[in-house]
Amino acid sequence: MSIEIRNVTKRFGEFLALDDVSLEVPDGSLTAVLGPSGSGKSTLLRVVAGLERPDSGEVLLAGKDATGLSPQRRDVGFVFQHYAAFKHMTVRDNVGFALAIRKRPKREIAERVDELLELVQLKGFADRYPSKLSGGQRQRMALARALAAKPEVLLLDEPFGALDARVRAELRDWLRRLHDEVHVTTVFVTHDQEEAMEVADHVAVLNAGRLEQVGAPAELYDKPASEFVLRFLGDAFRLGDGLVRPHDIVLARFPNDGAVEVEVERIVIVGANARIDLVDGTGERMTARLRREDVENLELARGEIVWATAEQAHPIPERNAIA
Amino acid sequence: MSVPRRLPLRAVALGYLLVVLLGPLAMIFYRSFQSGLRPVWQALSDPLTIHAFEVTLEATAIAVPLNTVFGILCALAIVRRRFRGKGFLNAFIDLPLAVSPVVIGLALYILYGRTGWFGGWLLGHGIQVLFALPSIVLATVFVSVPFVAREVIPTLRELGTEQEQAAATLGATRWQRFWRITLPSIRWAVIYGVVLTTARCLGEYGAVAIVSGRIEGVTQTATLRVEEYWLNFNTAGAYAVSLVLATMAVIVLVAMTLIRPREEAH
């Protein structure tokens, strides 16, 4: 089921959470909504689920207007950041909830729950209460619960936000594989650019309630539409008239065209890579990422003056030029 | 905190309970049986005593369900809704705790008496409120209003709305969300509130003393029966009825503490 968001605006009192946002999510895709906290990304997801009503604009599900539809009639699975586990129910009853509500026969519910618990690797936990599960297990239970009634759309609000780094990485891979298996249109919200770039087919970047850019991860990284996107998707520094990524900085002993004179402040060698902290004449700081052998060939040392150029520089976009 | 520091604290807490609560209760138990079983049995088998307990239980049986439903609705409104006069409602619930039951009794007397606002009209339609069961029920309902709402409000606050939102996205209607998510989540607060309400109803004295008319065998409640025995120098009778009242309250409380940990173990 495709999702179409048209000119959605939402205010909470004085706060403008969503400012005329339009976004299309193609059927069967895995899309990330990426943005810093307070950018309106969770609100956008909640508008799609029907948990928030937009002040203006429309939400279309499978081409049909769903703006006024209550959440229970949208056929949308939603996974909350803090799991929203039903604490008074066992894992089995949690996962089977959507089917029990629909008055499905007990046998059918039991079969579907077993199937889902197998899928989320929680077989053998069916009779436990959520309080006896780890964070990652609870999140997988919440996922199974959201998938039980075979929704056309799966929405995940910062699904891995409350988990530690290792479990996060595991679940991330697992979500990708799950999507490849189940093919349900999936949208997840995250503030972690690495997570968005690694997992999603499409990434939509939100900033202060406005949609900055939508595209494939590589496209966003290589052709950022604004300085915000450029800076949000990875470190970027000002070098001369443009912005550069750390691995695009080239250092040399002698000046060539457009090179900027910089002083080496610090050299950190980690394995085969090196990180060089630099500062130019105006006090602008930047970090270059080089291979260790390049650092050794240049015989770089702290306090020395070298010349920096950019292999690939992004012009500073007009709209968001540095003040 | 270290163990030696904690011990005296515990001793003070237990000692206080012993002196203030358990001591008097134990004394009632002791005094009831001091002159043997006969006077106790005599007082408890008296048809007037049995009737007094019936009146008390009847009023309790009406007041408790009424205040349970009202308490849950009130708590939901206060925690989940925004409306004008919410602070007023919140404060108003506690009124029966703040105002002496005697004052409540007098207020009911003024309203429902022959010359009162409602009393005259009701009497004209053949409904006797004062000095009859309706007034006892009214007084009992009034004094036991706060308990369920007061227990449920903090639990509802802590619960939040996320589980219900999750249930909504899973297809549950408002009604299904209430029965399957909200009510089971607050059940212990409700049960505890019901226990306190019940105990309060059984023990109600002041308001009922004024509006019931204390008619033996008609509007006399168990607590009024205690007073009657006491004023007539039948101390064994007074202790015996008190003992039954105290035992009922203790049984309810103990039963609850016994069920609770087992359910919460998961």
Side-chain angles (χ1 to χ4, degrees):
Chain A
M1 186 157 79
S2 65
I3 305 168
E4 210 181 322
I5 297 157
R6 284 188 192 160
N7 308 98
V8 163
T9 296
K10 174 77 185 170
R11 284 173 191 279
F12 294 106
E14 288 293 293
F15 180 68
L16 185 58
L18 293 173
D19 184 5
D20 196 25
V21 173
S22 296
L23 174 67
E24 269 181 57
V25 178
D27 185 27
S29 71
L30 177 48
T31 299
V33 177
L34 175 66
S37 64
S39 60
K41 55 194 190 307
S42 286
T43 307
L44 186 66
L45 203 70
R46 292 172 64 85
V47 165
V48 173
L51 295 169
E52 303 286 355
R53 283 271 156 96
D55 298 332
S56 61
E58 293 168 328
V59 175
L60 280 75
L61 297 174
K64 281 190 204 126
D65 185 13
T67 318
L69 225 53
S70 61
Q72 67 259 29
R73 297 177 60 198
R74 290 201 182 194
D75 203 9
V76 155
F78 198 99
V79 177
F80 292 78
Q81 180 177 5
H82 298 288
Y83 328 122
F86 301 144
K87 289 184 185 137
H88 61 286
M89 294 183 196
T90 59
V91 170
R92 173 173 293 285
D93 291 342
N94 263 279
V95 175
F97 185 84
L99 299 173
I101 284 290
R102 286 166 176 76
K103 308 263 187 301
R104 309 304 307 177
K106 285 221 164 73
R107 185 123 159 246
E108 185 193 318
I109 298 178
E111 279 169 13
R112 176 79 178 134
V113 170
D114 287 336
E115 186 188 313
L116 284 162
L117 290 181
E118 174 106 49
L119 182 74
V120 300
Q121 298 153 21
L122 282 177
K123 239 181 143 190
F125 291 87
D127 297 321
R128 292 209 193 177
Y129 283 88
S131 57
K132 298 282 184 237
L133 299 181
S134 71
Q137 288 170 333
R138 264 181 236 179
Q139 193 57 290
R140 295 208 303 269
M141 181 195 84
L143 249 159
R145 184 176 71 179
L147 289 170
K150 303 193 172 157
E152 299 273 350
V153 167
L154 184 60
L155 305 173
L156 305 104
D157 187 4
E158 297 261 1
F160 316 125
L163 302 168
D164 64 57
R166 197 177 53 80
V167 181
R168 248 180 120 104
E170 247 175 61
L171 274 181
R172 204 190 276 175
D173 292 346
W174 183 82
L175 176 68
R176 181 71 242 184
R177 270 182 280 125
L178 178 85
H179 182 264
D180 295 342
E181 260 175 63
V182 186
H183 285 305
V184 53
T185 309
T186 306
V187 180
F188 74 101
V189 152
T190 180
H191 61 265
D192 181 341
Q193 39 89 15
E194 203 184 302
E195 194 167 286
M197 305 295 259
E198 250 184 51
V199 181
D201 311 325
H202 298 272
V203 178
V205 183
L206 270 186
N207 176 33
R210 296 195 68 97
L211 191 67
E212 295 270 340
Q213 192 176 2
V214 190
E219 199 181 318
L220 263 63
Y221 194 83
D222 295 336
K223 297 191 184 95
S226 65
E227 189 190 339
F228 176 83
V229 175
L230 176 73
R231 286 186 181 272
F232 199 70
L233 294 187
D235 290 335
F237 303 99
R238 198 182 178 141
L239 183 69
D241 312 323
L243 286 161
V244 288
R245 299 257 184 235
H247 51 77
D248 286 335
I249 296 177
V250 180
L251 298 179
R253 278 283 175 190
F254 304 100
N256 46 8
D257 256 8
V260 175
E261 194 178 345
V262 290
E263 185 188 330
V264 176
E265 280 204 317
R266 204 159 93 99
I267 300 171
V268 180
I269 306 241
V270 182
N273 299 307
R275 202 186 86 202
I276 325 286
D277 292 345
L278 306 160
V279 58
D280 73 6
T282 65
E284 186 85 25
R285 279 167 209 285
M286 66 200 82
T287 299
R289 290 196 182 274
L290 275 67
R291 283 180 307 164
R292 181 179 182 167
E293 54 182 272
D294 294 336
V295 176
E296 283 164 358
N297 288 343
L298 280 167
E299 293 176 4
L300 279 186
R302 215 178 127 181
E304 283 183 326
I305 303 292
V306 288
W307 297 87
T309 46
E311 208 161 79
Q312 185 198 4
H314 302 273
I316 298 171
E318 287 286 319
R319 183 154 75 85
N320 282 308
I322 300 169
Chain B
M1 203 185 286
S2 64
V3 175
R5 273 184 64 105
R6 208 162 39 190
L7 265 181
L9 190 65
R10 193 192 300 171
V12 167
L14 284 177
Y16 186 83
L17 277 182
L18 206 69
V19 172
V20 175
L21 279 179
L22 292 176
L25 276 179
M27 277 311 287
I28 284 181
F29 192 83
Y30 171 71
R31 279 304 190 89
S32 303
F33 295 102
Q34 199 179 25
S35 38
L37 278 173
R38 247 178 70 90
V40 172
W41 178 244
Q42 231 165 29
L44 291 183
S45 60
D46 187 325
L48 290 178
T49 306
I50 292 170
H51 187 271
F53 272 111
E54 280 170 6
V55 174
T56 295
L57 289 178
E58 255 174 276
T60 306
I62 296 170
V64 170
L66 217 59
N67 278 335
T68 304
V69 173
F70 173 78
I72 293 171
L73 290 178
C74 239
L76 280 170
I78 286 171
V79 177
R80 298 275 169 90
R81 298 259 184 274
R82 286 159 163 242
F83 56 92
R84 270 166 168 272
K86 180 163 147 175
F88 184 71
L89 175 66
N90 200 355
F92 204 71
I93 290 178
D94 286 335
L95 196 69
L97 289 175
V99 176
S100 165
V102 177
V103 177
I104 294 165
L106 276 174
L108 290 175
Y109 191 95
I110 293 164
L111 277 179
Y112 292 98
R114 193 174 295 277
T115 56
W117 290 356
F118 307 151
W121 186 87
L122 285 168
L123 268 179
H125 288 77
I127 303 164
Q128 169 83 30
V129 175
L130 231 47
F131 314 131
L133 189 65
S135 70
I136 297 173
V137 172
L138 272 175
T140 311
V141 168
F142 198 120
V143 298
S144 61
V145 156
F147 301 100
V148 171
R150 278 288 157 249
E151 289 298 325
V152 171
I153 285 169
T155 315
L156 263 184
R157 285 229 165 90
E158 201 191 312
L159 179 67
T161 53
E162 215 178 43
Q163 290 184 46
E164 280 160 60
Q165 287 177 9
T169 63
L170 292 169
T173 60
R174 186 187 286 257
W175 195 241
Q176 286 171 319
R177 297 201 291 271
F178 176 76
W179 286 106
R180 288 173 184 257
I181 308 296
T182 319
L183 197 59
S185 303
I186 59 170
R187 68 192 186 284
W188 282 111
V190 173
I191 290 171
Y192 200 65
V194 166
V195 166
L196 291 176
T197 309
T198 308
R200 182 69 187 86
C201 289
L202 292 175
E204 167 48 21
Y205 168 79
V208 167
I210 289 181
V211 296
S212 71
R214 309 162 183 241
I215 308 162
E216 257 186 33
V218 184
T219 61
Q220 192 179 51
T221 63
T223 48
L224 293 173
R225 187 73 187 155
V226 174
E227 191 200 22
E228 157 118 19
Y229 275 135
W230 181 253
L231 294 176
N232 291 325
F233 304 102
N234 183 348
T235 44
Y239 291 139
V241 177
S242 302
L243 182 68
V244 175
L245 277 171
T247 310
M248 283 159 82
V250 170
I251 285 174
V252 176
L253 283 171
V254 169
M256 204 193 62
T257 34
L258 283 184
I259 313 167
R260 191 167 187 159
R262 213 179 303 155
E263 274 270 335
E264 297 281 274
H266 58 243

